[in-house]
Amino acid sequence: MSVNTSKYPAIQGKNLVVFVRRLADANSKRGMPIPYQTSLDYEPQRDSKTDPTKDGYVNKQSPLQVDLKFEFVNNWSEIADLLQMSLFDGDELEFWIVNYQRRNDKGQCFAHYMRGTVSEDDTDGDPDDVSNRKTTISINGEPVWGWTTLSDEEEQMIAYMFYGVGAIGENAKHDGTDGGGTPWKKEDAGTGVAYNISANTNPTGSADKVGQ
């Protein structure tokens, strides 16, 4: 049986974004995405053991263990510092793995929510490359699933829309037409109208396929 790829598209790794917040700040601050994320490993696992008995085998399962690991380009953002402070101070943090690609009918993003502390934070400083951080989180308890709303700013940080060069104004539509723009379509490939620079006139005529 073939899979309906239009209904169930493959999830792109770039669309999984980690957001973080210190639990003590939950009443006053939003979760923030980690700047310059380069990788993500989300590893829930449960060990099992099978014991033989006179009546057959009995399967035993241990509690769920979850490790969260990610890498990012080193920077001095509030979140980058917060991660390192959690390692030294033991501050409990909240984490969201936000799937920007998967939405519900309200436009909210699918997300895994969990809490934990930083258990490892490695920094490299090679002279011929940017500094990178590799951070490991020890998760307390079990993650839960849900849907979260992103702000306009967060939406734009993750996937921005085309803007024309004109002023955006106070009521941006974020549909590619802001600033006098027109979003690109696949049908636009190979089209264009020659502009007579010496005549200093606006281009006229319809856009034609080059070579046709």
Side-chain angles (χ1 to χ4, degrees):
M1 184 180 70
S2 61
V3 176
N4 185 345
T5 56
S6 62
K7 186 176 181 180
Y8 307 112
I11 297 172
Q12 303 296 318
K14 66 180 181 179
N15 292 322
L16 299 178
V17 182
V18 180
F19 282 64
V20 186
R21 177 175 63 195
R22 195 166 68 108
L23 182 59
D25 295 331
N27 291 336
S28 58
K29 291 186 176 181
R30 292 182 60 87
M32 294 179 285
I34 301 171
Y36 309 120
Q37 296 175 45
T38 57
S39 73
L40 166 64
D41 291 308
Y42 175 51
E43 302 174 356
Q45 55 188 307
R46 191 190 301 272
D47 293 333
S48 62
K49 178 181 179 182
T50 302
D51 291 335
T53 71
K54 295 180 180 181
D55 298 312
Y57 287 92
V58 175
N59 182 50
K60 299 179 180 179
Q61 289 189 329
S62 65
L64 185 70
Q65 177 182 342
V66 179
D67 285 329
L68 175 63
K69 303 176 183 179
F70 46 82
E71 298 182 27
F72 61 98
V73 175
N74 200 7
N75 61 86
W76 56 74
S77 66
E78 179 181 354
I79 284 298
D81 288 345
L82 195 64
L83 291 168
Q84 200 162 66
M85 290 164 59
S86 174
L87 177 62
F88 286 93
D89 301 336
D91 286 339
E92 188 171 14
L93 306 176
E94 297 175 286
F95 296 89
W96 294 261
I97 300 176
V98 176
N99 185 338
Y100 181 78
Q101 188 177 351
R102 183 179 180 183
R103 306 286 180 120
N104 63 10
D105 56 5
K106 298 179 182 178
Q108 296 175 306
C109 296
F110 178 74
H112 291 251
Y113 171 78
M114 61 206 83
R115 298 175 182 177
T117 55
V118 177
S119 58
E120 190 173 350
D121 188 52
D122 296 334
T123 302
D124 66 42
D126 297 335
D128 58 348
D129 198 359
V130 295
S131 175
N132 292 281
R133 297 259 297 273
K134 300 178 181 179
T135 305
T136 301
I137 312 299
S138 294
I139 299 300
N140 302 325
E142 297 188 7
V144 292
W145 302 356
W147 305 89
T148 185
T149 300
L150 300 184
S151 68
D152 290 342
E153 182 180 3
E154 289 159 352
E155 291 273 11
Q156 293 173 45
M157 287 175 65
I158 295 175
Y160 55 78
M161 179 64 68
F162 179 80
Y163 281 174
V165 299
I168 303 302
E170 297 181 357
N171 299 311
K173 298 183 290 295
H174 306 302
D175 60 358
T177 64
D178 294 311
T182 301
W184 177 268
K185 306 183 300 297
K186 289 183 179 179
E187 294 76 16
D188 289 340
T191 63
V193 176
Y195 178 58
N196 188 346
I197 298 176
S198 61
N200 194 26
T201 59
N202 291 326
T204 58
S206 59
D208 296 321
K209 290 282 186 178
V210 174
Q212 294 184 358

